Structures are given as C-alpha cells and as structure tokens.
Amino acid sequence: MNWNVQQTITIGQLRIDGITNSSVLQIGSAGSIQALSQLYNTGGFTEPAPELKEDLNALSLVPLPNPR
C-alpha cells in the first residue's frame, strides 16, 4: 500500500531553546528518519571554542522569509 501525503506548512516564528550535535528538527512528516552523524573540522581549529558569555535566557529568534 502506498501513501501520498501533501501538506502546506506556514511558520511565522520558530523558537528553538537548545540544539546539540545529535538533535533532529523535523517540520512535516516522514516515513522514517535515518540516523547520520558527521563531524568536520573545516576551519582547522586546534582549541575549544571560548565559553559563551551572553545571558543564556535571552530570547533568540531565527528570522524566516515570508512565504510566497
């Protein structure tokens, strides 16, 4: 049996409180999600990143384009 799902999703604002290397953000539907983990050091960094000094409770918004 084949299922065809068609949907339209409009997102006005999306807030993500935290994300890690193993996080999955899914918008919509999927039959299955295959796990994939890749680690790249494309900048040639040799030291850890400096600690974050900002207020971690500050609101962070990701601007999204207007739907067409």
Side-chain angles (χ1 to χ4, degrees):
M1 175 186 291
N2 292 330
W3 289 79
N4 291 319
V5 177
Q6 294 182 344
Q7 60 186 11
T8 301
I9 300 174
T10 302
I11 300 173
Q13 183 180 44
L14 177 65
R15 178 180 175 165
I16 301 172
D17 288 330
I19 194 163
T20 64
N21 289 344
S22 60
S23 295
V24 173
L25 173 63
Q26 178 180 335
I27 300 173
S29 60
S32 66
I33 297 177
Q34 301 289 328
L36 175 64
S37 178
Q38 298 176 334
L39 179 62
Y40 298 103
N41 184 7
T42 58
F45 298 102
T46 58
E47 300 176 5
E51 290 292 323
L52 183 63
K53 303 276 192 235
E54 295 180 31
D55 179 14
L56 296 179
N57 293 323
L59 180 63
S60 297
L61 297 177
V62 176
L64 299 173
N66 290 328
R68 295 179 182 197

